[in-house]
Amino acid sequence: MSARSVDVRLVKAGRTKIRYPAEVVSDDGTLLTVRAPWAADGVRDFGFVRFEPGDVFTEHYWRDRWYAVKEVRTGEGALKGWYCDITRPASVRGSEVVVEDLDLDLWVPADGGEVLRLDEDEFAASGLEERDPVAAAAALQALDALEALAREGRLPGAGQETGQR
């Protein structure tokens, strides 16, 4: 497969949160993997990890799963960890990948430290459980499943540098 570019568009609450170009690494019709540099302006310090210019994200989007997994590396190639978004299944239309963020996130550090469930308060405040209880249930189930995969060292790329968790 020759390298091709796509635009990744992350949607939250019906609005585009961010859009950025990425190079397709692979696409088997169910799982699309792309690679892109850190797309936001400047540094984003979460306290447990810093995303900064030069970082490279290898992003895994499934058309049939309610999450996306983003492997984060420094520009020099050192693995920082995995930032996982709970999303509706990805939609790929031509050269655009659209992913709807459902607020819940998971951080898995490369050093085998504590797996962190993030933004559960934002999810509760989003009103999704009232507006779309089926989607809310799928999101919560996806978070649990993703956390189990993370703890087993079964995220894409896991186990290559740090061994099984």
Side-chain angles (χ1 to χ4, degrees):
M1 167 190 247
S2 62
R4 69 178 176 102
S5 294
V6 294
D7 282 331
V8 176
R9 184 164 60 104
L10 185 62
V11 176
K12 189 169 182 175
R15 296 192 336 253
T16 298
K17 182 176 169 183
I18 191 168
R19 176 192 299 263
Y20 53 91
E23 292 296 318
V24 174
V25 174
S26 64
D27 185 359
D28 67 8
T30 301
L31 170 61
L32 170 68
T33 300
V34 302
R35 188 166 292 124
W38 169 239
D41 293 329
V43 173
R44 179 109 188 253
D45 190 341
F46 291 95
F48 50 86
V49 67
R50 287 170 49 101
F51 296 158
E52 49 202 338
D55 285 352
V56 177
F57 287 64
T58 301
E59 304 175 352
H60 306 275
Y61 298 103
W62 285 266
R63 293 170 177 94
D64 64 350
R65 296 185 191 175
W66 286 70
Y67 55 79
V69 176
K70 300 171 182 180
E71 179 188 289
V72 185
R73 293 181 178 270
T74 67
E76 294 77 37
L79 181 64
K80 290 184 175 187
W82 295 266
Y83 195 90
C84 308
D85 290 317
I86 302 303
T87 66
R88 291 184 189 270
S91 171
V92 181
R93 295 182 219 121
S95 64
E96 184 178 61
V97 181
V98 179
V99 183
E100 184 181 345
D101 186 345
L102 298 177
D103 293 309
L104 294 168
D105 300 300
L106 192 73
W107 171 249
V108 183
D111 65 6
E114 182 181 358
V115 174
L116 302 174
R117 292 170 76 117
L118 307 169
D119 303 329
E120 290 176 301
D121 54 339
E122 285 182 34
F123 178 77
S126 74
L128 185 64
E129 290 178 292
E130 294 78 31
R131 261 190 343 275
D132 190 343
V134 172
L140 291 168
Q141 183 177 33
L143 182 62
D144 290 342
L146 194 55
E147 183 176 5
L149 286 173
R151 292 186 185 285
E152 294 166 6
R154 294 179 46 216
L155 294 177
Q160 294 175 5
E161 288 89 352
T162 61
Q164 298 297 311
R165 293 187 208 294

